[in-house]
C-alpha cells in the first residue's frame, strides 16, 4: 500500500509540474507507407496558438523539431507555420513495432518546441500508425508434407501448418482454399482461442494405400485487405498404416515465469503427453508449431523426445517480456495434440539508464553558446532518460552533479528540460561543463552520466547597484503633498554612457509617490491615510544607458504612522438580538463587535451601556451582553438601550449604537386543526371519483413560528382498506384507487399533524369521516354512524349502503324538519323560563360587568375545538339556586380589516350553583397568567396567521368568579375554573376532559347546539351545568 501511495503521489506531483511547465500532447493518425510531403496536421491551429494575444516577441514564433542527433525523423515541421509533413523516410508499421504484440496499437513519438521563450511550450506528438495491406500471407514452407493413416474415417480432420501475415486486423489471414482436392479431401478453417485461423484437412472418401499412397494438391491462403493478397503452397499427403490413438497433453495451458538472467540450459518447464497406442504408434514427437516466432525458437529449445523446454540463448526481458510457445505432440498419426506454454520473463536490473540529449539551441561544434543576458528559464535542451528495465529497476531520476545556474524541469515521463535557473555572468564564469547523471531505483542502482558544454557570451553585463537594496522609512499620516521622503542613489561599475543612471519607479509603485529620474529624490505627492493603507512596498529601478540598457531594482518600504483621526465603528448601527424567554439570568444574549481603524492606544476601545441600565451588563473588552433579569415574554417582549464605544486616544473619540433585545417564545404550541372543525363532521365522496382526486383537505395551524410551525400530515389510524392517502405538506387527502361496491359506506381516518419543532416536536390528531356514496339522502343516519364510529376502534370502518327508496327518503326529510323545528321552539322556551327565574342577586352582579375578570386561554392549548357530546345524569339541585350565564365567542378572520367578514359566535350559557360558587375561594386559585400579562388574544389577532377569537361576556359576573376556556388538543371544548387545575391529558383523545379543584371537585357536562343566524354568522350555545 505504501508503494502504491508513493507512486500515486509521484504521479500527481509530476502532472502538476508538467502543467506548470507548458507541456502539451497532441495525437495524429497516419497510414503507413505514405508518400513524401503529405500534410498531416497544423500545430498552429490544432494547439490554438493563433488565439494567443499579440505580444512583442523577441523573435517570430518558431516550431522546432527536437530529435536525437543521427536519427532520421519520419516527419518534418515547417518552422514558421507549424505544418507537419511526411518525409522521404519509409513509414513501415511492421518495422517500427516489430516487438509489439499483434493486437497492440503502434505509435511513433516526437517532440516539438514552440519558441521563443515568452510563449515556450514543449509538445509531444504521438502518431498512431494505421496498418495497410502491404504484406501477403505466407506459409512456413512452399511444400507441406503430412501423413494420414489409411483407415481414417470419413470427415476425419488433420491440422495443416498455418500461414503468417505481418499485417493485422482485416489485413491479416482471413481464408484458406484447397486447390485440386480431387473430391477426396476438403478443407475447413477453425479459429483458435488465441484468435488465429487454423486450416484443417478433411477426409471425404475412404483411403486405400495399396491403391494410391500419395496425393498432391495446393493450399491457397488469402487476407482480407484491399487489394487482396494471397499465396499458395504445395500440399503432399502420404497415406500411412493405421494409427488410431492421438497423444494427449496432461496440461493444455502452462504459464511459467523465469528471470531474464537465468543461465543457458535452465529448465523452463516439462511437458507431459501420453498415447494409448503401443509400439511405434505410441512414440510421441514434440515440436514447436510454425506459429511460434523465430525469436522464441532461437531462445528456447524443445527436446523432441522428452518434451523438456530449456533456455538455448540468454534471455532479455527488454527485447521481449513474454513468449508464447505453441507445442505440438504427434505420434505420426492423427491430429497432433496442442499445448500452449506462456513464458513470462521477469526483470532484473541489468540495464544502465541511457541519456539522450536533444538540443533546442543548436550547438556549435558540440557546445551551446548562450548569452549572459539570457532570461531565466531559457530552454537549452530536452533530456530524455530511459531504462529498459521494468518497475523500480526502470524508474530513473536525472540530476546534475554540482551547483550550476541551470536546472532540469520535468515535462513528460522520464523527460526533462534543461533551462537557466539564474542569471549568467560572463565575468564570474565563462563556461560550464554540466555533468548529467541518471540513476535507476534498482538494488543496487545503476547509473549513467553525460557531459553538456555551455559557453557564456559576453554582453553589457554590469547593472547599476543601489547603495541600499532595501530602503525603509516612516512618515506621519495627513502629511502635506510634496513632502520629501529620502534620496535614493545607485552606482554602476561601467563607464561612459553605460554608467549614466536614470531612476524610475517600478510598475508596482503607487501613484502617491514620485521619483526624480536624475537626482533620485523620493517625494509623497498625495496626502497619506494610514487607515486606507499602512505600508507601501514598491520597487525603484536604476537604468543605465548601455545598449541594451541594464536595469536593477531596490525595494522601498514606506510606513505611515498613525494619528487618532477615526472614531470607533460598530459593525451595525442597530443590533437586534433574539433570546428565548427561558434564558437564565447572566446568560449570554449576544456580542457587540466594534472596530477602530486607528492603531495602538488609538484603537483600544472600551464598551459601556448608557443611561445606567441595570437590566443588562456588557463586557467592556469582549462586548458580550448578559442579562441581570429573568425574561418574561408575557410581561415585556423587548428591551432597548444604547451602547457607547470610546477609544483610548489622547483626545478620545466615541460612537454609540442602538441595541434591541427581543424575547421569543419556545416551542410550546401544538398544532390546531381548523378543518375539519369537529370529529363528528363528514365529507361525501362519490364512487365515481377518479384515483388521485383530492376528496378532502385537512387544515391545521400552529401558533409557533419557523420550523416550530411547519407541519407534516400523516394518517395514523383507520383507512383499513388503504383507499386514501394524504400529502404530508398540503394535507390533501386523495383517492388512492378506484372505488368498488364494497367500498361504499363510511370510512374513518385518524390524521396526525406534527410540527418540526426543536428539540421536541408536538402533534395533534383529528378524525376525518369520508362517506363514499352517490348522495346523502339521510344525514341523520350518517351523523349517527359518525357518532358510533367515534366509539369504534380505529382499525375498523363502518360501511353502509343507502338502500332507501325515494319515497322513504322524503318521509325521513319531513320528519327531520318537524323534529328540528320542535327542538328549536323547546330550547327557546326553556331559555326564556330560565332567564325569568334569575335571582335579583345575579342581576346586581351583572351591573359590575367591568369588574369581571377574564383570563386569556392557555397558550399551550390556544385552539377552538368542538366538545364531543356525552350525556351524564344531573344531581338534584334546588331550581332556585340555578344561575345562567352566556359567554359569546366571536371568530373573526385576521385578514378582514373592516371586521365585516364571516364570523362565528358561540353563546355559552353556563349554569352555576350559587352555593358551590360561594364556597369556593376563587381568590386563592393560582392561575397561569399574571394580572398584568398582555392580552394574547389581541396579540394573536395582529400577529398570528390564524383567526383571532374574542371572548366577550354577555352577562357580567362577580369579579371573583372566573370562566377559564381550556382548548385541549383532542377536538374537545372544556369549560373550567382554573387553567392550573384543568387537564386535557386524558388517555382517550376523543373524550371530554375533566377539571378537578383543590376544594370542590365537580364535572361539567356540556351540550352543544347550533342555530343559524344568517349567511355570514352562526351562533353556538354551550350550556354548562355546574
Amino acid at each position: 500500500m505504501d508503494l502504491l501511495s508513493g507512486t500515486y503521489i509521484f504521479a500527481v506531483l509530476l502532472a502538476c509540474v508538467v502543467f506548470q511547465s507548458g507541456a502539451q500532447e497532441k495525437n495524429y493518425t497516419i497510414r503507413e507507407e505514405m508518400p513524401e510531403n503529405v500534410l498531416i496536421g497544423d500545430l498552429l491551429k490544432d494547439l490554438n496558438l493563433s488565439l494567443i494575444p499579440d505580444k512583442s516577441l523577441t523573435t517570430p514564433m518558431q516550431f522546432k523539431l527536437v530529435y536525437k542527433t543521427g536519427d532520421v525523423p519520419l516527419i518534418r515541421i515547417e518552422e514558421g507555420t507549424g505544418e507537419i509533413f511526411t518525409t522521404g523516410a519509409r513509414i513501415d508499421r511492421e518495422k517500427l513495432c516489430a516487438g509489439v504484440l499483434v493486437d497492440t496499437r503502434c505509435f511513433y513519438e516526437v517532440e516539438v518546441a514552440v519558441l521563443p521563450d515568452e510563449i515556450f511550450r514543449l509538445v509531444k506528438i504521438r502518431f498512431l500508425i494505421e496498418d495497410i495491406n502491404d504484406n501477403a500471407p505466407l506459409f512456413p514452407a512452399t511444400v507441406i508434407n503430412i501423413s494420414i493413416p489409411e483407415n481414417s474415417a470419413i470427415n476425419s480432420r488433420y491440422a495443416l501448418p498455418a500461414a503468417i501475415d505481418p499485417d493485422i486486423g482485416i489485413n491479416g489471414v482471413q481464408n484458406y482454399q484447397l486447390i485440386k482436392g480431387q473430391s477426396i479431401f476438403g478443407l475447413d478453417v477453425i479459429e483458435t482461442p488465441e484468435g488465429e485461423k487454423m486450416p484443417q484437412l478433411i477426409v471425404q472418401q475412404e483411403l486405400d494405400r495399396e491403391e494410391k499412397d500419395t496425393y498432391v494438391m495446393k493450399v491457397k491462403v488469402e487476407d482480407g485487405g484491399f487489394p487482396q493478397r494471397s499465396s499458395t503452397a504445395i500440399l503432399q499427403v502420404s497415406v500411412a498404416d493405421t494409427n488410431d490413438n492421438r497423444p494427449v497433453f496432461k496440461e493444455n495451458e502452462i504459464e511459467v515465469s523465469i528471470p531474464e538472467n537465468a543461465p543457458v540450459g535452465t529448465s523452463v518447464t516439462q511437458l507431459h503427453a501420453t498415447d494409448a497406442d503401443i509400439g511405434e504408434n505410441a512414440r510421441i514427437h514434440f515440436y514447436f508449431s510454425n506459429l511460434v516466432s523465430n525469436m522464441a525458437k532461437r531462445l528456447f529449445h524443445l527436446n523432441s523426445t522428452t518434451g523438456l523446454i530449456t533456455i538455448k540463448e540468454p534471455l532479455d526481458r527488454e527485447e521481449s517480456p513474454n513468449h508464447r510457445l505453441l507445442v505440438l505432440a504427434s505420434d505420426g498419426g492423427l491430429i497432433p495434440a496442442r499445448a500452449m506454454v506462456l513464458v513470462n520473463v521477469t526483470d532484473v536490473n541489468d540495464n544502465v539508464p541511457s541519456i539522450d540529449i536533444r538540443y533546442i539551441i543548436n550547438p556549435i561544434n558540440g557546445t551551446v553558446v548562450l548569452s549572459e543576458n539570457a532570461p531565466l528559464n531559457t530552454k537549452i535542451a530536452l533530456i530524455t532518460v530511459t531504462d529498459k528495465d521494468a518497475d523500480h529497476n526502470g524508474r530513473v531520476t536525472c540530476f546534475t552533479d554540482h551547483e550550476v545556474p541551470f536546472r532540469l524541469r520535468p515535462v513528460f515521463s522520464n523527460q526533462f528540460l534543461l533551462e537557466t535557473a539564474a542569471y549568467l555572468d560572463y565575468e564570474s564564469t565563462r563556461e560550464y561543463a554540466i555533468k548529467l547523471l541518471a540513476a535507476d531505483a534498482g538494488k543496487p542502482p545503476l547509473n549513467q552520466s553525460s557531459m553538456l558544454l555551455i559557453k557564456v557570451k559576453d554582453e553589457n553585463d554590469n547593472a547599476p547597484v543601489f547603495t541600499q537594496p532595501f530602503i525603509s522609512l516612516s512618515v506621519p499620516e495627513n502629511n502635506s503633498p510634496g513632502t520629501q521622503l529620502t534620496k535614493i542613489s545607485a552606482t554602476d561599475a561601467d563607464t561612459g554612457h553605460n554608467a549614466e543612471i536614470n531612476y524610475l519607479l517600478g510598475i508596482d509603485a503607487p501613484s502617491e509617490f514620485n521619483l526624480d529620474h536624475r537626482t533620485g529624490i523620493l517625494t509623497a505627492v498625495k496626502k497619506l491615510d494610514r487607515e486606507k493603507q499602512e505600508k507601501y512596498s514598491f520597487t525603484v529601478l536604476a537604468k543605465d544607458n548601455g545598449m541594451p540598457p541594464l536595469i536593477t531594482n531596490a525595494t522601498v518600504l514606506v510606513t505611515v504612522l498613525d494619528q487618532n483621526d477615526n472614531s470607533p465603528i460598530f459593525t451595525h448601527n442597530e443590533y437586534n438580538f433574539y433570546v428565548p424567554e427561558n434564558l437564565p439570568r447572566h446568560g449570554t444574549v449576544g456580542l457587540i463587535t466594534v472596530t477602530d481603524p486607528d492603531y495602538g492606544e488609538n484603537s483600544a476601545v472600551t464598551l459601556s451601556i448608557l443611561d445606567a441600565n441595570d437590566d443588562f451588563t456588557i463586557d467592556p473588552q469582549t462586548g458580550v451582553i448578559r442579562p441581570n433579569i429573568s425574561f418574561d415574554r408575557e410581561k415585556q417582549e423587548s428591551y432597548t438601550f444604547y451602547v457607547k464605544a470610546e477609544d483610548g486616544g489622547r483626545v478620545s473619540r466615541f460612537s454609540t449604537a442602538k441595541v434591541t433585545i427581543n424575547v421569543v417564545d419556545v416551542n410550546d404550541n401544538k398544532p390546531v386543526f381548523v378543518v375539519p372543525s369537529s370529529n363528528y363532521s363528514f365529507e361525501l365522496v362519490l364512487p365515481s371519483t377518479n384515483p388521485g382526486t383530492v376528496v378532502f383537505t385537512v387544515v391545521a395551524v400552529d401558533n409557533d413560528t419557523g420550523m416550530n410551525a411547519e407541519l407534516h400530515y400523516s394518517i395514523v389510524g383507520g383507512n383499513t382498506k388503504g383507499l386514501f392517502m394524504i400529502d404530508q405538506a398540503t394535507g390533501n387527502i386523495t383517492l388512492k384507487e378506484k372505488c368498488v361496491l364494497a367500498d361504499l359506506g363510511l370510512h374513518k381516518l385518524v390524521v396526525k399533524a406534527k410540527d418540526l419543532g426543536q428539540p421536541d416536536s408536538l402533534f395533534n390528531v383529528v378524525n376525518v369521516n369520508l362517506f363514499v356514496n352517490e348522495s346523502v339522502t339521510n344525514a341523520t343516519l350518517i351523523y349517527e354512524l359518525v357518532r358510533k364510529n367515534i366509539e369504534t376502534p380505529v382499525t375498523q370502518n363502518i360501511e353502509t349502503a343507502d338502500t332507501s327508496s325515494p319515497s322513504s327518503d322524503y318521509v325521513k326529510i319531513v320528519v327531520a324538519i318537524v323534529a328540528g323545528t320542535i327542538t328549536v321552539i323547546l330550547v327557546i322556551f326553556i331559555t326564556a323560563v330560565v332567564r325569568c327565574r334569575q335571582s335579583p342577586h345575579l342581576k346586581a352582579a351583572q351591573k359590575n360587568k367591568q369588574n369581571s375578570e377574564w383570563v386569556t386561554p392557555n397558550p399551550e392549548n390556544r385552539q377552538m375545538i368542538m366538545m364531543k357530546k356525552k350525556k351524564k345524569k344531573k344531581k338534584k339541585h334546588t331550581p332556585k339556586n340555578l344561575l345562567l350565564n352566556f359567554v359569546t365567542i366571536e371568530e373573526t378572520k385576521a385578514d378582514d380589516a373592516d371586521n365585516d367578514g364571516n364570523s362565528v359566535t358561540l353563546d355559552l350559557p353556563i349554569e352555576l350553583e350559587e352555593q358551590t360558587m360561594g364556597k369556593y375561594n376563587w381568590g386563592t386559585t393560582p392561575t397561569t397568567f399574571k394580572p398584568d400579562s398582555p392580552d394574547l388574544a389581541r396579540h394573536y389577532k395582529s400577529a398570528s396567521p390564524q383567526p383571532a377569537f374574542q371572548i366577550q361576556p354577555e352577562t357580567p359576573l362577580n369579579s371573583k368568579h372566573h370562566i377559564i376556556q381550556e382548548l385541549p388538543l383532542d377536538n374537545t371544548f372544556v369549560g373550567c375554573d382554573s387553567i392550573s387545575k384543568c387537564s386535557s391529558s386524558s388517555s382517550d383523545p376523543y373524550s371530554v376532559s375533566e377539571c378537578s379543584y383543590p376544594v370542590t371537585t365537580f364535572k361539567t357536562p356540556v351540550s352543544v347546539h347550533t342555530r343559524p343566524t344568517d349567511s355570514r354568522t352562526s351562533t353556538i350555545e354551550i350550556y354548562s351545568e355546574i
Side-chain angles (χ1 to χ4, degrees):
M1 182 62 68
D2 294 337
L3 177 60
L4 294 177
S5 301
T7 304
Y8 174 77
I9 294 173
F10 176 79
V12 171
L13 294 176
L14 181 61
C16 294
V17 173
V18 169
F19 177 78
Q20 295 176 356
S21 63
Q24 289 182 267
E25 291 187 6
K26 184 63 182 175
N27 296 327
Y28 293 99
T29 301
I30 60 175
R31 288 181 291 107
E32 62 173 334
E33 308 292 351
M34 292 182 67
E36 188 178 359
N37 294 327
V38 175
L39 178 64
I40 300 174
D42 187 341
L43 288 180
L44 186 65
K45 294 180 180 178
D46 297 341
L47 299 178
N48 294 325
L49 297 179
S50 58
L51 301 179
I52 296 178
D54 293 336
K55 296 182 179 179
S56 56
L57 303 178
T58 55
T59 58
M61 185 182 297
Q62 180 184 3
F63 299 86
K64 182 175 179 59
L65 185 64
V66 182
Y67 58 94
K68 185 177 181 180
T69 304
D71 286 352
V72 179
L74 301 181
I75 56 100
R76 65 178 178 86
I77 295 181
E78 290 291 335
E79 294 189 354
T81 63
E83 293 177 329
I84 306 173
F85 295 92
T86 58
T87 64
R90 180 189 175 195
I91 302 176
D92 187 357
R93 192 197 69 85
E94 289 74 30
K95 182 178 180 181
L96 286 173
C97 303
V100 180
L101 296 178
V102 175
D103 55 351
T104 304
R105 296 191 297 177
C106 179
F107 287 98
Y108 171 69
E109 296 182 355
V110 296
E111 287 80 27
V112 175
V114 182
L115 303 173
D117 286 339
E118 296 95 309
I119 58 171
F120 176 84
R121 64 191 63 198
L122 185 66
V123 183
K124 180 185 287 291
I125 304 178
R126 303 180 71 198
F127 296 94
L128 174 61
I129 310 299
E130 288 187 340
D131 181 51
I132 65 172
N133 193 22
D134 57 343
N135 293 279
L138 297 175
F139 286 101
T142 56
V143 177
I144 301 173
N145 292 293
I146 66 170
S147 179
I148 298 177
E150 63 176 332
N151 63 344
S152 297
I154 296 177
N155 293 328
S156 296
R157 294 172 176 261
Y158 298 92
L160 298 180
I164 298 175
D165 193 328
D167 296 322
I168 61 173
I170 193 65
N171 296 327
V173 175
Q174 298 296 322
N175 188 34
Y176 291 89
Q177 292 181 10
L178 184 63
I179 303 174
K180 297 180 180 180
Q182 306 173 17
S183 73
I184 297 176
F185 299 98
L187 190 68
D188 189 18
V189 180
I190 63 171
E191 189 169 345
T192 65
E194 294 80 20
E196 300 168 349
K197 292 180 170 58
M198 299 292 295
Q200 288 188 344
L201 187 67
I202 303 175
V203 178
Q204 297 179 344
Q205 294 182 12
E206 292 183 357
L207 302 177
D208 187 351
R209 182 176 178 277
E210 287 71 22
E211 181 179 344
K212 189 172 184 179
D213 60 354
T214 302
Y215 296 88
V216 178
M217 298 161 281
K218 285 186 178 181
V219 179
K220 182 179 181 181
V221 59
E222 299 174 334
D223 60 23
F226 182 83
Q228 190 179 58
R229 295 178 179 270
S230 63
S231 64
T232 60
I234 297 175
L235 175 62
Q236 185 170 309
V237 180
S238 300
V239 180
D241 285 333
T242 303
N243 183 9
D244 55 353
N245 288 287
R246 58 176 292 186
V248 177
F249 276 104
K250 183 178 180 180
E251 295 179 345
N252 293 329
E253 292 185 3
I254 301 174
E255 183 174 359
V256 295
S257 297
I258 189 167
E260 62 177 330
N261 62 349
V264 174
T266 300
S267 176
V268 177
T269 187
Q270 174 69 61
L271 297 176
H272 298 278
T274 59
D275 193 312
D277 292 327
I278 60 175
E280 289 297 326
N281 293 332
R283 183 174 297 173
I284 301 175
H285 174 71
F286 298 93
Y287 60 96
F288 286 129
S289 169
N290 66 302
L291 295 178
V292 176
S293 65
N294 293 330
M295 179 188 297
K297 293 179 180 178
R298 175 173 55 85
L299 297 176
F300 299 96
H301 173 263
L302 174 61
N303 190 304
S304 61
T305 303
T306 63
L308 177 64
I309 300 177
T310 57
I311 298 176
K312 186 165 58 173
E313 292 185 7
L315 302 178
D316 188 356
R317 190 208 63 83
E318 291 71 36
E319 183 181 7
S320 181
N322 49 63
H323 302 274
R324 301 169 67 91
L325 307 178
L326 181 58
V327 179
L328 304 180
S330 174
D331 60 358
L334 297 173
I335 298 175
R338 298 160 50 91
M340 178 61 70
V341 179
L342 179 61
V343 180
N344 296 315
V345 183
T346 58
D347 184 58
V348 294
N349 193 23
D350 59 345
N351 290 277
V352 296
S354 64
I355 301 176
D356 178 19
I357 301 176
R358 303 178 184 182
Y359 292 98
I360 297 175
I361 297 178
N362 293 329
I364 301 175
N365 297 325
T367 302
V368 176
V369 178
L370 193 61
S371 170
E372 64 175 334
N373 287 339
L376 292 176
N377 304 323
T378 298
K379 312 305 183 292
I380 301 170
L382 176 65
I383 310 299
T384 302
V385 292
T386 57
D387 194 317
K388 295 180 180 180
D389 294 321
D391 300 329
H392 281 283
N393 298 330
R395 184 178 298 171
V396 184
T397 58
C398 187
F399 51 92
T400 57
D401 64 334
H402 58 276
E403 292 294 332
V404 290
F406 305 95
R407 63 186 170 199
L408 293 171
R409 174 176 294 181
V411 285
F412 297 110
S413 177
N414 293 336
Q415 287 189 308
F416 304 86
L417 275 174
L418 178 65
E419 59 185 13
T420 57
Y423 294 104
L424 305 179
D425 186 4
Y426 177 82
E427 285 71 27
S428 63
T429 305
R430 298 188 179 187
E431 67 178 26
Y432 296 90
I434 303 174
K435 185 176 182 180
L436 301 175
L437 296 175
D440 61 25
K443 292 183 179 180
L446 302 178
N447 57 71
Q448 179 67 280
S449 63
S450 181
M451 297 297 296
L452 190 148
L453 298 178
I454 297 178
K455 286 188 177 181
V456 182
K457 181 182 177 182
D458 188 30
E459 302 287 352
N460 179 27
D461 55 351
N462 289 297
V465 178
F466 283 97
T467 56
Q468 288 181 279
F470 182 80
I471 305 169
S472 178
L473 53 98
S474 301
V475 57
E477 63 177 333
N478 303 322
N479 60 287
S480 300
T483 301
Q484 180 176 336
L485 304 180
T486 188
K487 181 178 181 180
I488 298 173
S489 62
T491 60
D492 195 314
D494 295 325
T495 59
H497 289 285
N498 294 333
E500 295 178 0
I501 300 175
N502 290 324
Y503 298 96
L504 304 172
L505 288 173
I507 59 174
D508 59 342
S511 60
E512 287 84 354
F513 302 96
N514 181 56
L515 182 63
D516 188 283
H517 71 283
R518 291 190 176 274
T519 63
I521 295 177
L522 180 67
T523 57
V525 296
K526 293 183 180 180
K527 183 178 179 181
L528 302 179
D529 187 353
R530 192 204 67 84
E531 286 71 40
K532 291 184 177 179
Q533 188 166 349
E534 181 180 2
K535 294 181 182 294
Y536 295 88
S537 179
F538 54 91
T539 57
V540 292
L541 307 176
K543 177 181 178 182
D544 63 20
N545 291 330
M547 291 300 294
L550 298 179
I551 301 174
T552 189
N553 60 72
T555 301
V556 177
L557 178 63
V558 179
T559 303
V560 182
L561 302 179
D562 182 57
Q563 294 181 348
N564 192 23
D565 56 348
N566 291 277
S567 300
I569 301 173
F570 287 93
T571 55
H572 299 84
N573 294 330
E574 182 175 349
Y575 292 85
N576 284 279
F577 297 104
Y578 293 84
V579 297
E581 59 181 333
N582 57 359
L583 179 72
R585 184 176 297 184
H586 305 303
T588 300
V589 171
L591 177 67
I592 297 295
T593 303
V594 63
T595 58
D596 193 318
D598 292 323
Y599 180 75
E601 292 296 328
N602 297 332
S603 63
V605 179
T606 302
L607 296 171
S608 61
I609 298 178
L610 296 179
D611 301 332
N613 189 322
D614 296 332
D615 293 343
F616 299 91
T617 61
I618 186 170
D619 190 290
Q621 278 73 40
T622 64
V624 176
I625 299 176
R626 304 181 186 275
N628 291 330
I629 59 174
S630 296
F631 293 109
D632 187 349
R633 184 182 176 278
E634 287 70 29
K635 182 177 180 180
Q636 186 170 349
E637 294 184 358
S638 63
Y639 300 84
T640 302
F641 53 86
Y642 286 86
V643 173
K644 176 183 177 182
E646 185 175 7
D647 63 25
R650 180 174 300 178
V651 179
S652 64
R653 292 173 173 267
F654 70 91
S655 57
T656 60
K658 181 181 178 182
V659 176
T660 301
I661 299 176
N662 302 283
V663 183
V664 297
D665 233 342
V666 295
N667 184 27
D668 55 355
N669 293 285
K670 296 182 180 180
V672 179
F673 283 98
V674 179
V675 178
S677 59
S678 169
N679 286 328
Y680 296 90
S681 62
F682 71 91
E683 182 74 13
L684 177 64
V685 179
L686 298 178
S688 59
T689 303
N690 292 325
T693 304
V694 178
V695 298
F696 190 72
T697 300
V698 176
V699 179
V701 296
D702 194 312
N703 288 335
D704 295 319
T705 59
M707 295 298 292
N708 296 334
E710 185 173 340
L711 302 181
H712 281 180
Y713 300 91
S714 61
I715 298 176
V716 297
N719 197 24
T720 56
K721 293 187 177 181
L723 195 58
F724 303 95
M725 61 182 178
I726 190 169
D727 187 293
Q728 72 167 0
T730 64
N732 291 336
I733 298 178
T734 56
L735 188 62
K736 196 173 182 181
E737 56 188 29
K738 190 70 175 179
C739 293
V740 296
L741 185 60
D743 296 328
L744 298 181
L746 187 64
H747 294 259
K748 173 183 175 182
L749 310 179
V750 180
V751 176
K752 176 181 177 181
K754 178 182 178 181
D755 64 26
L756 301 181
Q758 294 294 333
D760 297 319
S761 62
L762 303 177
F763 68 91
N764 200 354
V765 294
V766 71
N767 282 353
V768 177
N769 301 291
L770 301 177
F771 184 60
V772 180
N773 203 11
E774 292 293 343
S775 63
V776 179
T777 57
N778 191 346
T780 303
L781 175 60
I782 303 304
Y783 281 115
E784 181 62 22
L785 289 176
V786 171
R787 184 189 65 79
K788 293 180 179 180
N789 203 6
I790 294 298
E791 302 171 357
T792 304
V794 295
T795 58
Q796 300 178 4
N797 282 335
I798 297 179
E799 302 175 5
T800 183
D802 188 2
T803 59
S804 60
S805 64
S807 60
S808 62
D809 292 343
Y810 178 76
V811 174
K812 292 178 181 178
I813 293 173
V814 172
V815 173
I817 293 174
V818 173
T821 304
I822 295 174
T823 303
V824 172
I825 295 173
L826 184 59
V827 170
I828 295 173
F829 175 75
I830 295 174
T831 303
V833 172
V834 172
R835 283 182 176 272
C836 291
R837 297 181 61 184
Q838 289 179 350
S839 64
H841 173 73
L842 179 60
K843 294 181 180 179
Q846 291 176 348
K847 297 178 181 181
N848 298 324
K849 182 176 182 179
Q850 295 178 352
N851 296 328
S852 59
E853 182 178 357
W854 298 89
V855 180
T856 307
N858 189 337
E860 293 184 358
N861 297 314
R862 193 181 303 116
Q863 40 193 319
M864 176 59 66
I865 305 174
M866 297 297 296
M867 176 180 288
K868 172 184 165 186
K869 297 180 180 179
K870 274 194 176 181
K871 294 184 179 181
K872 294 186 177 180
K873 295 182 180 180
K874 299 181 180 179
K875 294 183 180 180
K876 294 183 179 180
H877 299 284
T878 307
K880 65 180 181 180
N881 295 330
L882 191 64
L883 187 62
L884 182 65
N885 300 280
F886 284 85
V887 178
T888 302
I889 299 177
E890 293 182 359
E891 176 186 356
T892 306
K893 294 186 177 179
D895 56 352
D896 192 352
D898 298 331
N899 294 331
D900 57 352
N902 296 334
S903 64
V904 178
T905 303
L906 302 181
D907 290 342
L908 311 180
I910 302 175
E911 301 174 5
L912 303 175
E913 189 171 353
E914 210 168 358
Q915 281 183 327
T916 307
M917 302 295 287
K919 292 178 181 179
Y920 183 67
N921 184 7
W922 292 87
T924 61
T925 304
T927 60
T928 306
F929 300 90
K930 301 177 182 179
D932 54 351
S933 297
D935 186 358
L936 291 185
R938 182 177 303 170
H939 167 74
Y940 285 115
K941 180 178 179 181
S942 61
S944 176
Q946 68 175 359
F949 294 90
Q950 299 176 354
I951 304 179
Q952 300 175 353
E954 291 187 357
T955 304
L957 299 177
N958 191 285
S959 60
K960 69 179 180 178
H961 296 157
H962 298 260
I963 299 298
I964 304 301
Q965 176 189 349
E966 279 292 317
L967 303 177
L969 295 175
D970 51 7
N971 288 353
T972 305
F973 187 90
V974 180
C976 58
D977 293 353
S978 173
I979 294 178
S980 63
K981 300 301 179 179
C982 184
S983 173
S984 62
S985 60
S986 174
S987 60
D988 182 5
Y990 308 106
S991 63
V992 179
S993 300
E994 296 183 357
C995 304
S996 59
Y997 304 90
V999 179
T1000 303
T1001 302
F1002 55 94
K1003 298 181 179 179
T1004 308
V1006 178
S1007 59
V1008 180
H1009 305 277
T1010 62
R1011 64 174 184 267
T1013 57
D1014 54 30
S1015 60
R1016 301 176 61 85
T1017 306
S1018 63
T1019 302
I1020 301 176
E1021 295 183 356
I1022 301 179
Y1023 301 90
S1024 176
E1025 298 178 2
I1026 302 178

